[in-house]
């Protein structure tokens, strides 16, 4: 099963089950070693860089991102 297939199936669960699963997944990340966390962040950075190079996403100024985040919270 691919990640996309798994996501599709998980999103079919009712909200309570999805919340319980999300909690278990988040808790599982707490047991990662410092090296594993660093590796995962590096993979994410490389993925995002690749998306920017392909033009899938565009860079945004930090000020704009922070302003938008505050607007959503307010």
């Amino acid at each position: 099963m691919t990640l996309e297939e798994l996501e599709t199936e998980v999103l079919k669960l009712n909200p309570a089950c999805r919340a319980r699963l999300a909690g278990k997944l988040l808790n599982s990340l707490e047991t990662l070693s410092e090296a594993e966390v660093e590796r995962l962040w590096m993979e994410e950075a490389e993925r995002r860089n690749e998306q920017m190079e392909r033009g899938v996403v565009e860079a945004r100024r930090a000020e704009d991102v922070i302003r938008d985040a505050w607007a959503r919270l307010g």
Side-chain angles (χ1 to χ4, degrees), residues 17-32:
C17 290
R18 289 196 320 263
R20 189 170 66 234
L21 178 58
K24 287 183 177 185
L25 290 171
L26 288 172
N27 285 337
S28 73
L29 294 175
E30 293 179 7
T31 62
L32 296 177

PDB file of all heavy atoms in Angstrom, residues 17-32:
ATOM      1  N   CYS A  17     -11.781   8.377  15.553  1.00  0.00           N
ATOM      2  CA  CYS A  17     -10.738   7.399  15.217  1.00  0.00           C
ATOM      3  C   CYS A  17      -9.523   8.089  14.611  1.00  0.00           C
ATOM      4  O   CYS A  17      -8.389   7.730  14.926  1.00  0.00           O
ATOM      5  CB  CYS A  17     -11.284   6.349  14.250  1.00  0.00           C
ATOM      6  SG  CYS A  17     -12.469   5.221  14.975  1.00  0.00           S
ATOM      7  N   ARG A  18      -9.755   9.066  13.747  1.00  0.00           N
ATOM      8  CA  ARG A  18      -8.628   9.803  13.165  1.00  0.00           C
ATOM      9  C   ARG A  18      -7.846  10.538  14.238  1.00  0.00           C
ATOM     10  O   ARG A  18      -6.614  10.563  14.213  1.00  0.00           O
ATOM     11  CB  ARG A  18      -9.126  10.793  12.096  1.00  0.00           C
ATOM     12  CG  ARG A  18      -9.604  10.100  10.836  1.00  0.00           C
ATOM     13  CD  ARG A  18      -9.727  11.035   9.646  1.00  0.00           C
ATOM     14  NE  ARG A  18     -10.257  12.341   9.918  1.00  0.00           N
ATOM     15  CZ  ARG A  18     -11.533  12.711   9.746  1.00  0.00           C
ATOM     16  NH1 ARG A  18     -12.415  11.835   9.320  1.00  0.00           N
ATOM     17  NH2 ARG A  18     -11.904  13.948  10.007  1.00  0.00           N
ATOM     18  N   ALA A  19      -8.554  11.118  15.209  1.00  0.00           N
ATOM     19  CA  ALA A  19      -7.884  11.836  16.294  1.00  0.00           C
ATOM     20  C   ALA A  19      -7.046  10.876  17.134  1.00  0.00           C
ATOM     21  O   ALA A  19      -5.912  11.191  17.498  1.00  0.00           O
ATOM     22  CB  ALA A  19      -8.907  12.551  17.167  1.00  0.00           C
ATOM     23  N   ARG A  20      -7.578   9.712  17.436  1.00  0.00           N
ATOM     24  CA  ARG A  20      -6.838   8.723  18.217  1.00  0.00           C
ATOM     25  C   ARG A  20      -5.591   8.268  17.451  1.00  0.00           C
ATOM     26  O   ARG A  20      -4.492   8.182  18.012  1.00  0.00           O
ATOM     27  CB  ARG A  20      -7.722   7.533  18.573  1.00  0.00           C
ATOM     28  CG  ARG A  20      -7.065   6.592  19.576  1.00  0.00           C
ATOM     29  CD  ARG A  20      -8.002   5.529  20.121  1.00  0.00           C
ATOM     30  NE  ARG A  20      -8.400   4.610  19.067  1.00  0.00           N
ATOM     31  CZ  ARG A  20      -9.666   4.319  18.760  1.00  0.00           C
ATOM     32  NH1 ARG A  20     -10.658   4.856  19.426  1.00  0.00           N
ATOM     33  NH2 ARG A  20      -9.939   3.474  17.800  1.00  0.00           N
ATOM     34  N   LEU A  21      -5.747   8.024  16.161  1.00  0.00           N
ATOM     35  CA  LEU A  21      -4.612   7.619  15.338  1.00  0.00           C
ATOM     36  C   LEU A  21      -3.581   8.728  15.257  1.00  0.00           C
ATOM     37  O   LEU A  21      -2.374   8.482  15.375  1.00  0.00           O
ATOM     38  CB  LEU A  21      -5.085   7.231  13.932  1.00  0.00           C
ATOM     39  CG  LEU A  21      -4.006   6.836  12.941  1.00  0.00           C
ATOM     40  CD1 LEU A  21      -3.191   5.653  13.463  1.00  0.00           C
ATOM     41  CD2 LEU A  21      -4.627   6.512  11.595  1.00  0.00           C
ATOM     42  N   ALA A  22      -4.031   9.965  15.094  1.00  0.00           N
ATOM     43  CA  ALA A  22      -3.107  11.103  15.037  1.00  0.00           C
ATOM     44  C   ALA A  22      -2.299  11.196  16.323  1.00  0.00           C
ATOM     45  O   ALA A  22      -1.086  11.429  16.293  1.00  0.00           O
ATOM     46  CB  ALA A  22      -3.877  12.396  14.790  1.00  0.00           C
ATOM     47  N   GLY A  23      -2.962  11.000  17.459  1.00  0.00           N
ATOM     48  CA  GLY A  23      -2.262  11.032  18.740  1.00  0.00           C
ATOM     49  C   GLY A  23      -1.199   9.956  18.830  1.00  0.00           C
ATOM     50  O   GLY A  23      -0.078  10.220  19.281  1.00  0.00           O
ATOM     51  N   LYS A  24      -1.536   8.760  18.390  1.00  0.00           N
ATOM     52  CA  LYS A  24      -0.558   7.663  18.426  1.00  0.00           C
ATOM     53  C   LYS A  24       0.624   7.958  17.504  1.00  0.00           C
ATOM     54  O   LYS A  24       1.768   7.685  17.856  1.00  0.00           O
ATOM     55  CB  LYS A  24      -1.222   6.346  18.030  1.00  0.00           C
ATOM     56  CG  LYS A  24      -2.138   5.799  19.095  1.00  0.00           C
ATOM     57  CD  LYS A  24      -2.711   4.458  18.691  1.00  0.00           C
ATOM     58  CE  LYS A  24      -3.561   3.897  19.804  1.00  0.00           C
ATOM     59  NZ  LYS A  24      -4.043   2.540  19.497  1.00  0.00           N
ATOM     60  N   LEU A  25       0.343   8.513  16.334  1.00  0.00           N
ATOM     61  CA  LEU A  25       1.422   8.839  15.403  1.00  0.00           C
ATOM     62  C   LEU A  25       2.332   9.919  15.982  1.00  0.00           C
ATOM     63  O   LEU A  25       3.560   9.820  15.894  1.00  0.00           O
ATOM     64  CB  LEU A  25       0.850   9.283  14.055  1.00  0.00           C
ATOM     65  CG  LEU A  25       0.179   8.187  13.229  1.00  0.00           C
ATOM     66  CD1 LEU A  25      -0.534   8.785  12.030  1.00  0.00           C
ATOM     67  CD2 LEU A  25       1.183   7.138  12.802  1.00  0.00           C
ATOM     68  N   LEU A  26       1.737  10.942  16.570  1.00  0.00           N
ATOM     69  CA  LEU A  26       2.544  12.006  17.179  1.00  0.00           C
ATOM     70  C   LEU A  26       3.383  11.463  18.329  1.00  0.00           C
ATOM     71  O   LEU A  26       4.558  11.813  18.465  1.00  0.00           O
ATOM     72  CB  LEU A  26       1.645  13.148  17.662  1.00  0.00           C
ATOM     73  CG  LEU A  26       1.044  13.996  16.546  1.00  0.00           C
ATOM     74  CD1 LEU A  26       0.023  14.969  17.116  1.00  0.00           C
ATOM     75  CD2 LEU A  26       2.118  14.731  15.786  1.00  0.00           C
ATOM     76  N   ASN A  27       2.798  10.622  19.154  1.00  0.00           N
ATOM     77  CA  ASN A  27       3.556  10.030  20.263  1.00  0.00           C
ATOM     78  C   ASN A  27       4.711   9.183  19.757  1.00  0.00           C
ATOM     79  O   ASN A  27       5.771   9.140  20.381  1.00  0.00           O
ATOM     80  CB  ASN A  27       2.645   9.187  21.154  1.00  0.00           C
ATOM     81  CG  ASN A  27       1.758  10.036  22.030  1.00  0.00           C
ATOM     82  OD1 ASN A  27       2.065  11.189  22.307  1.00  0.00           O
ATOM     83  ND2 ASN A  27       0.648   9.481  22.461  1.00  0.00           N
ATOM     84  N   SER A  28       4.526   8.528  18.611  1.00  0.00           N
ATOM     85  CA  SER A  28       5.595   7.682  18.084  1.00  0.00           C
ATOM     86  C   SER A  28       6.801   8.510  17.659  1.00  0.00           C
ATOM     87  O   SER A  28       7.927   8.021  17.650  1.00  0.00           O
ATOM     88  CB  SER A  28       5.092   6.848  16.904  1.00  0.00           C
ATOM     89  OG  SER A  28       4.908   7.644  15.750  1.00  0.00           O
ATOM     90  N   LEU A  29       6.586   9.770  17.324  1.00  0.00           N
ATOM     91  CA  LEU A  29       7.690  10.639  16.917  1.00  0.00           C
ATOM     92  C   LEU A  29       8.545  11.057  18.105  1.00  0.00           C
ATOM     93  O   LEU A  29       9.705  11.417  17.937  1.00  0.00           O
ATOM     94  CB  LEU A  29       7.162  11.877  16.197  1.00  0.00           C
ATOM     95  CG  LEU A  29       6.477  11.609  14.861  1.00  0.00           C
ATOM     96  CD1 LEU A  29       5.891  12.894  14.314  1.00  0.00           C
ATOM     97  CD2 LEU A  29       7.426  10.970  13.874  1.00  0.00           C
ATOM     98  N   GLU A  30       7.978  11.021  19.295  1.00  0.00           N
ATOM     99  CA  GLU A  30       8.717  11.423  20.485  1.00  0.00           C
ATOM    100  C   GLU A  30       9.834  10.446  20.832  1.00  0.00           C
ATOM    101  O   GLU A  30      10.727  10.783  21.592  1.00  0.00           O
ATOM    102  CB  GLU A  30       7.767  11.590  21.658  1.00  0.00           C
ATOM    103  CG  GLU A  30       6.817  12.753  21.487  1.00  0.00           C
ATOM    104  CD  GLU A  30       5.848  12.904  22.632  1.00  0.00           C
ATOM    105  OE1 GLU A  30       5.981  12.180  23.639  1.00  0.00           O
ATOM    106  OE2 GLU A  30       4.947  13.741  22.514  1.00  0.00           O
ATOM    107  N   THR A  31       9.783   9.267  20.280  1.00  0.00           N
ATOM    108  CA  THR A  31      10.785   8.262  20.592  1.00  0.00           C
ATOM    109  C   THR A  31      11.941   8.251  19.594  1.00  0.00           C
ATOM    110  O   THR A  31      12.834   7.421  19.702  1.00  0.00           O
ATOM    111  CB  THR A  31      10.147   6.852  20.643  1.00  0.00           C
ATOM    112  OG1 THR A  31       9.612   6.539  19.362  1.00  0.00           O
ATOM    113  CG2 THR A  31       9.064   6.782  21.701  1.00  0.00           C
ATOM    114  N   LEU A  32      11.916   9.166  18.644  1.00  0.00           N
ATOM    115  CA  LEU A  32      12.986   9.216  17.651  1.00  0.00           C
ATOM    116  C   LEU A  32      14.271   9.761  18.271  1.00  0.00           C
ATOM    117  O   LEU A  32      14.242  10.644  19.120  1.00  0.00           O
ATOM    118  CB  LEU A  32      12.589  10.111  16.480  1.00  0.00           C
ATOM    119  CG  LEU A  32      11.393   9.665  15.641  1.00  0.00           C
ATOM    120  CD1 LEU A  32      11.091  10.705  14.571  1.00  0.00           C
ATOM    121  CD2 LEU A  32      11.629   8.314  15.009  1.00  0.00           C
TER     122      LEU A  32
END
